[in-house]
Amino acid sequence: MELVTPEIGLVFWTTVSFLILLAILGKFAWKPIMTAIDERERTIEEALFKAEAAKEEMARLTSENEALLKQARAERDVILAEARKVKEQIVGDAKDAAQKEGARMIESARLEINNMKAIALADVKNQVATLSLDIAEKVLRKQFEDQGKQDQLVADLLKEVKLS
């Protein structure tokens, strides 16, 4: 039963040794332990502050990246729109130039055809005139072979001249 009801001497010496241990620990160990705990608390707070700052920086960078991405998309859309306009303008200019060139070529061909036609008509007229003269010459030679016919023709022509 000694263990259940301790003697007064045991309680006294246990209390004295506890107080001595507490005084020694307070003098030599308590300050370093508290300093280490304070230092650890400070480093944890700094780490939390840095983590919060990093989180804010990441949020800022994310928003900047979003803004840059939106700006890049807008610039891309503007560039694509300008490229489409330039393409349409080039295609339109090419069509206009092709139409003008085609019209010029058609007009040139029409003029050439008309020139060739005029040359051919002049050539045909010359040939017809030459043939007509040849035929008239042959008819007149045949008719003027006889001197009497020539005299008769001259007399008839003179009568007509006098009447007119």
Side-chain angles (χ1 to χ4, degrees), residues 22-86:
L22 190 63
I24 293 172
L25 283 177
K27 177 132 181 124
F28 297 111
W30 194 258
K31 282 186 182 181
I33 289 174
M34 289 307 289
T35 305
I37 288 174
D38 287 342
E39 183 66 30
R40 176 73 176 145
E41 185 178 336
R42 226 178 7 261
T43 56
I44 289 172
E45 285 178 5
E46 287 177 9
L48 286 175
F49 180 73
K50 287 179 181 177
E52 186 65 30
K55 183 179 176 183
E56 290 174 2
E57 182 69 17
M58 286 299 292
R60 186 183 63 80
L61 288 175
T62 302
S63 66
E64 284 181 14
N65 284 343
E66 289 292 325
L68 287 174
L69 191 59
K70 285 180 183 177
Q71 183 181 1
R73 285 181 182 148
E75 288 177 7
R76 179 200 64 193
D77 291 342
V78 167
I79 290 171
L80 287 175
E82 287 177 7
R84 283 188 200 108
K85 285 180 185 176
V86 168

Side-chain angles (χ1 to χ4, degrees), residues 1-12 14:
M1 251 226 19
E2 280 183 28
L3 291 176
V4 177
T5 54
E7 289 182 19
I8 198 96
L10 180 64
V11 172
F12 174 77
T14 304

Side-chain angles (χ1 to χ4, degrees), residues 89-106:
Q89 183 180 5
I90 290 171
V91 168
D93 291 347
K95 283 181 182 179
D96 290 344
Q99 287 176 349
K100 287 177 184 176
E101 182 65 21
R104 187 191 63 76
M105 290 174 72
I106 288 171

